[in-house]
Coordinates of all heavy atoms in Angstrom, one line a residue:
M215 N 0.9 -1.2 0.1 CA 0.1 0.0 -0.1 C 0.9 1.3 0.1 O 1.8 1.4 0.9 CB -0.8 -0.1 1.3 CG -2.0 1.1 1.2 SD -3.0 1.2 2.7 CE -3.9 -0.4 2.7
T216 N 0.6 2.2 -0.9 CA 1.3 3.3 -1.0 C 1.1 4.3 0.2 O 0.1 4.1 0.9 CB 1.1 4.1 -2.4 OG1 -0.3 4.5 -2.3 CG2 1.2 3.3 -3.5
G217 N 2.1 5.2 0.4 CA 1.9 6.1 1.5 C 0.7 7.0 1.5 O 0.0 7.2 2.5
V218 N 0.2 7.4 0.3 CA -0.9 8.2 0.2 C -2.2 7.4 0.4 O -3.1 7.8 1.2 CB -1.1 8.8 -1.3 CG1 -2.4 9.5 -1.6 CG2 0.1 9.8 -1.6
K219 N -2.3 6.2 0.0 CA -3.3 5.3 0.2 C -3.4 5.0 1.8 O -4.6 5.0 2.4 CB -3.3 4.0 -0.5 CG -3.7 4.2 -2.0 CD -3.6 2.8 -2.7 CE -4.0 3.0 -4.2 NZ -4.0 1.7 -4.8
W220 N -2.4 4.9 2.4 CA -2.3 4.6 3.8 C -2.7 5.7 4.6 O -3.5 5.7 5.5 CB -0.8 4.3 4.2 CG -0.6 3.9 5.7 CD1 -0.2 4.6 6.6 CD2 -1.2 2.7 6.2 NE1 -0.2 3.9 7.8 CE2 -0.9 2.8 7.7 CE3 -1.8 1.6 5.8 CZ2 -1.1 1.7 8.7 CZ3 -2.1 0.6 6.7 CH2 -1.7 0.7 8.1
K221 N -2.3 7.0 4.2 CA -2.7 8.2 4.8 C -4.3 8.4 4.7 O -4.9 8.7 5.6 CB -2.1 9.5 4.1 CG -2.4 10.7 4.7 CD -1.6 11.8 4.1 CE -1.9 13.2 4.7 NZ -1.1 14.3 4.0
H222 N -4.9 8.1 3.5 CA -6.4 8.0 3.2 C -7.0 7.2 4.1 O -8.1 7.3 4.8 CB -6.6 8.0 1.7 CG -6.3 9.0 0.8 ND1 -6.9 10.3 0.9 CD2 -5.4 9.1 -0.1 CE1 -6.4 11.2 0.2 NE2 -5.5 10.4 -0.5
Y223 N -6.4 5.9 4.3 CA -7.1 4.7 5.0 C -7.1 5.2 6.5 O -8.0 5.0 7.1 CB -6.1 3.4 4.8 CG -6.7 2.4 5.9 CD1 -7.7 1.7 5.4 CD2 -5.9 2.1 6.9 CE1 -8.2 0.8 6.3 CE2 -6.3 0.9 7.7 CZ -7.5 0.5 7.5 OH -8.0 -0.7 8.3
I224 N -6.0 5.8 7.0 CA -5.8 6.3 8.4 C -6.9 7.4 8.6 O -7.7 7.4 9.8 CB -4.5 6.7 8.8 CG1 -3.4 5.6 8.6 CG2 -4.3 7.4 10.1 CD1 -3.6 4.6 9.7
E225 N -6.9 8.3 7.7 CA -8.0 9.4 7.7 C -9.5 8.8 7.8 O -10.3 9.2 8.6 CB -7.9 10.5 6.7 CG -8.7 11.6 6.8 CD -8.4 12.4 7.9 OE1 -7.3 12.5 8.5 OE2 -9.4 13.1 8.4
F226 N -9.8 7.8 7.0 CA -11.0 7.0 6.9 C -11.2 6.4 8.3 O -12.4 6.8 8.8 CB -11.0 6.2 5.8 CG -12.2 5.3 5.8 CD1 -13.5 5.8 5.4 CD2 -12.2 3.9 6.2 CE1 -14.7 5.0 5.4 CE2 -13.4 3.1 6.1 CZ -14.5 3.8 5.7
I227 N -10.3 5.8 8.8 CA -10.5 5.2 10.1 C -10.8 6.2 11.3 O -11.6 6.1 12.2 CB -9.4 4.2 10.5 CG1 -9.2 3.2 9.5 CG2 -9.5 3.7 12.0 CD1 -10.4 2.2 9.6
R228 N -10.0 7.4 11.2 CA -10.2 8.4 12.1 C -11.8 9.0 12.1 O -12.3 9.3 13.1 CB -9.2 9.5 11.9 CG -9.1 10.4 13.1 CD -7.9 11.6 12.9 NE -6.6 10.7 12.8 CZ -5.8 10.9 11.9 NH1 -5.9 11.9 10.9 NH2 -4.5 10.3 11.9
I229 N -12.1 9.2 10.9 CA -13.5 9.6 10.6 C -14.5 8.7 11.1 O -15.5 9.0 11.8 CB -13.9 9.9 9.1 CG1 -13.0 11.2 8.7 CG2 -15.3 10.2 8.9 CD1 -13.0 11.4 7.2
L230 N -14.4 7.4 11.0 CA -15.1 6.4 11.5 C -15.2 6.4 13.0 O -16.2 6.2 13.6 CB -14.8 5.1 10.9 CG -15.2 4.6 9.6 CD1 -14.7 3.2 9.2 CD2 -16.7 4.6 9.4
D231 N -14.0 6.4 13.6 CA -14.0 6.5 15.1 C -14.7 7.8 15.6 O -15.4 7.6 16.6 CB -12.5 6.5 15.5 CG -11.8 5.3 15.5 OD1 -12.5 4.2 15.4 OD2 -10.7 5.2 15.4
S232 N -14.5 8.8 14.9 CA -15.2 10.0 15.4 C -16.8 9.8 15.2 O -17.5 10.2 16.1 CB -14.9 11.2 14.4 OG -15.6 12.3 14.8
A233 N -17.1 9.3 14.1 CA -18.6 9.0 13.9 C -19.3 8.1 15.0 O -20.3 8.3 15.6 CB -19.0 8.4 12.7
V234 N -18.4 7.0 15.4 CA -18.8 6.0 16.3 C -18.8 6.8 17.8 O -19.7 6.6 18.5 CB -17.8 4.8 16.4 CG1 -18.1 4.1 17.7 CG2 -18.1 4.1 15.0
E235 N -18.0 7.6 18.1 CA -17.9 8.3 19.3 C -19.2 9.2 19.4 O -19.6 9.3 20.5 CB -16.6 9.2 19.4 CG -16.3 10.0 20.7 CD -15.1 10.6 20.8 OE1 -14.0 10.1 20.1 OE2 -15.1 11.5 21.4
Q236 N -19.4 10.0 18.3 CA -20.6 10.8 18.3 C -21.9 10.1 18.5 O -22.7 10.5 19.4 CB -20.7 11.6 17.0 CG -19.7 12.6 16.9 CD -19.8 13.3 15.4 OE1 -20.6 12.9 14.6 NE2 -18.9 14.4 15.3
Q237 N -21.9 8.8 17.9 CA -23.1 8.1 18.1 C -23.2 7.5 19.6 O -24.3 7.4 20.0 CB -23.1 6.9 17.2 CG -23.5 7.3 15.7 CD -24.7 8.0 15.5 OE1 -25.7 7.4 15.9 NE2 -24.7 9.1 14.8
N238 N -22.1 7.1 20.2 CA -22.1 6.7 21.5 C -22.6 7.8 22.5 O -23.3 7.6 23.4 CB -20.7 6.2 21.9 CG -20.4 4.8 21.1 OD1 -21.4 4.1 20.9 ND2 -19.2 4.4 21.2
K239 N -22.1 9.1 22.2 CA -22.5 10.1 22.9 C -24.1 10.3 22.9 O -24.8 10.7 23.8 CB -21.9 11.5 22.6 CG -20.3 11.5 23.0 CD -19.6 12.7 22.6 CE -18.2 12.8 22.9 NZ -17.5 14.0 22.6
L240 N -24.6 10.3 21.6 CA -26.0 10.4 21.4 C -26.8 9.3 22.1 O -27.9 9.6 22.8 CB -26.4 10.4 19.9 CG -26.3 11.7 19.3 CD1 -26.4 11.3 17.6 CD2 -27.1 12.8 19.7
I241 N -26.2 8.2 22.2 CA -26.9 7.1 22.8 C -27.0 7.3 24.3 O -27.9 7.1 25.0 CB -26.2 5.7 22.4 CG1 -26.6 5.2 21.0 CG2 -26.7 4.6 23.4 CD1 -25.6 4.0 20.5
I242 N -25.8 7.7 24.8 CA -25.8 8.0 26.3 C -26.8 9.2 26.6 O -27.6 9.1 27.6 CB -24.4 8.4 26.7 CG1 -23.5 7.1 26.7 CG2 -24.4 9.0 28.1 CD1 -22.1 7.4 26.9
E243 N -26.9 10.3 25.8 CA -27.8 11.3 26.0 C -29.2 10.9 25.9 O -29.9 11.2 26.8 CB -27.6 12.4 25.0 CG -28.5 13.7 25.1 CD -28.3 14.7 24.0 OE1 -27.1 14.6 23.4 OE2 -29.2 15.4 23.7
Y244 N -29.6 10.1 24.9 CA -30.9 9.7 24.8 C -31.3 8.7 25.9 O -32.5 8.7 26.4 CB -31.1 8.9 23.4 CG -31.2 9.9 22.4 CD1 -30.6 9.8 21.1 CD2 -31.9 11.1 22.5 CE1 -30.7 10.6 20.1 CE2 -31.8 12.1 21.4 CZ -31.4 11.8 20.3 OH -31.4 12.7 19.2
D245 N -30.2 7.9 26.3 CA -30.6 6.9 27.5 C -30.8 7.8 28.8 O -31.8 7.4 29.5 CB -29.4 6.0 27.8 CG -29.6 4.9 28.7 OD1 -30.5 4.3 28.6 OD2 -28.6 4.8 29.6
N246 N -30.1 8.8 29.1 CA -30.3 9.8 30.2 C -31.7 10.3 30.0 O -32.5 10.5 31.2 CB -29.3 10.7 30.3 CG -28.0 10.2 30.7 OD1 -27.9 9.1 31.5 ND2 -26.9 10.9 30.4
R247 N -32.1 10.8 28.8 CA -33.4 11.4 28.7 C -34.5 10.5 28.9 O -35.6 10.7 29.5 CB -33.5 12.1 27.3 CG -32.6 13.4 27.1 CD -32.6 13.8 25.7 NE -34.0 14.3 25.3 CZ -34.3 14.6 24.2 NH1 -33.5 14.5 23.2 NH2 -35.6 15.0 23.9
L248 N -34.3 9.2 28.4 CA -35.4 8.2 28.5 C -35.5 7.8 30.1 O -36.6 7.7 30.6 CB -34.8 6.9 28.0 CG -35.9 5.7 27.9 CD1 -37.2 6.2 27.1 CD2 -35.2 4.6 27.2
K249 N -34.3 7.8 30.9 CA -34.5 7.6 32.3 C -35.2 8.6 33.0 O -36.0 8.4 33.9 CB -32.9 7.5 32.9 CG -32.4 6.1 32.6 CD -30.9 6.0 33.1 CE -30.2 4.8 32.7 NZ -28.9 4.8 33.1
N250 N -35.0 10.0 32.7 CA -35.8 11.1 33.2 C -37.1 11.0 32.8 O -38.0 11.2 33.7 CB -35.0 12.4 32.7 CG -33.8 12.7 33.3 OD1 -33.4 12.1 34.3 ND2 -33.0 13.5 32.6
F251 N -37.5 10.7 31.7 CA -39.0 10.6 31.1 C -39.5 9.4 31.9 O -40.7 9.5 32.5 CB -39.0 10.3 29.7 CG -38.8 11.6 28.9 CD1 -38.1 11.4 27.7 CD2 -39.2 12.8 29.2 CE1 -37.7 12.5 26.8 CE2 -38.9 13.9 28.5 CZ -38.3 13.8 27.3
F252 N -38.9 8.2 32.2 CA -39.5 7.2 32.8 C -39.6 7.6 34.3 O -40.6 7.1 34.9 CB -38.6 5.9 32.8 CG -39.2 4.7 33.4 CD1 -40.2 4.1 32.7 CD2 -38.5 4.1 34.4 CE1 -40.8 3.0 33.4 CE2 -39.0 2.9 34.9 CZ -40.2 2.4 34.5
S253 N -38.7 8.2 34.8 CA -38.8 8.8 36.3 C -40.0 9.6 36.4 O -40.8 9.5 37.4 CB -37.6 9.5 36.7 OG -37.7 9.9 38.1
D254 N -40.2 10.6 35.4 CA -41.4 11.4 35.5 C -42.7 10.6 35.3 O -43.7 11.0 36.1 CB -41.3 12.4 34.4 CG -40.2 13.5 34.6 OD1 -39.7 13.6 35.7 OD2 -39.8 14.2 33.6
W255 N -42.7 9.7 34.5 CA -43.8 8.8 34.3 C -44.2 8.0 35.6 O -45.3 7.9 35.9 CB -43.6 7.8 33.2 CG -44.8 7.0 32.9 CD1 -45.8 7.1 32.2 CD2 -45.0 5.6 33.5 NE1 -46.7 6.1 32.3 CE2 -46.1 5.1 33.1 CE3 -44.2 4.9 34.3 CZ2 -46.7 3.9 33.5 CZ3 -44.7 3.5 34.7 CH2 -45.9 3.2 34.2
R256 N -43.1 7.5 36.3 CA -43.3 6.7 37.4 C -44.0 7.7 38.5 O -44.9 7.3 39.3 CB -42.1 6.1 38.0 CG -41.8 4.7 37.4 CD -40.8 4.1 38.0 NE -39.6 5.0 37.8 CZ -38.4 4.8 38.3 NH1 -38.2 3.9 39.2 NH2 -37.4 5.7 38.1
R257 N -43.5 9.0 38.6 CA -44.1 9.9 39.7 C -45.4 10.2 39.2 O -46.3 10.2 40.1 CB -43.1 11.1 39.6 CG -43.4 12.0 40.8 CD -42.4 13.3 40.8 NE -41.0 12.9 40.5 CZ -40.4 13.1 39.4 NH1 -41.0 13.8 38.4 NH2 -39.0 12.8 39.3
A258 N -45.8 10.5 38.0 CA -47.1 10.7 37.6 C -48.0 9.6 37.8 O -49.1 9.7 38.1 CB -47.1 11.2 36.2
N259 N -47.4 8.4 37.5 CA -48.4 7.3 37.6 C -48.7 7.0 39.3 O -49.8 6.6 39.6 CB -47.8 5.9 37.1 CG -48.5 4.8 37.0 OD1 -49.7 5.0 36.6 ND2 -48.0 3.5 37.3
S260 N -47.7 7.2 40.1 CA -48.0 7.1 41.4 C -48.9 8.2 42.0 O -49.8 7.7 42.8 CB -46.6 7.4 42.2 OG -46.7 7.4 43.6
N261 N -48.9 9.3 41.4 CA -49.9 10.4 41.8 C -51.2 9.9 41.3 O -52.3 10.0 42.1 CB -49.6 11.6 41.2 CG -48.3 12.4 41.9 OD1 -48.1 12.0 43.0 ND2 -47.8 13.4 41.2

């Protein structure tokens, strides 16, 4: 593999890692929101 192709490959992997990291952050954020909504629902249901 030539140096240019290797550089493009490394950049592609870096972009994929960044995308995966962003998706993981979104999953954590949505999970927290879901927990909050569920907590609110339990409180309302209890009332």
Side-chain angles (χ1 to χ4, degrees):
M215 193 184 288
T216 65
V218 172
K219 287 184 180 180
W220 183 251
K221 186 176 177 183
H222 288 297
Y223 176 76
I224 296 295
E225 185 62 26
F226 174 72
I227 296 297
R228 194 173 300 129
I229 290 171
L230 281 180
D231 282 341
S232 176
V234 168
E235 185 177 328
Q236 287 176 357
Q237 291 300 313
N238 285 337
K239 285 180 183 178
L240 278 175
I241 289 171
I242 290 169
E243 179 185 338
Y244 287 141
D245 190 45
N246 289 334
R247 288 175 65 188
L248 184 62
K249 286 177 185 176
N250 290 337
F251 288 138
F252 186 66
S253 176
D254 291 345
W255 178 84
R256 274 186 295 170
R257 193 176 313 110
N259 191 40
S260 176
N261 289 340

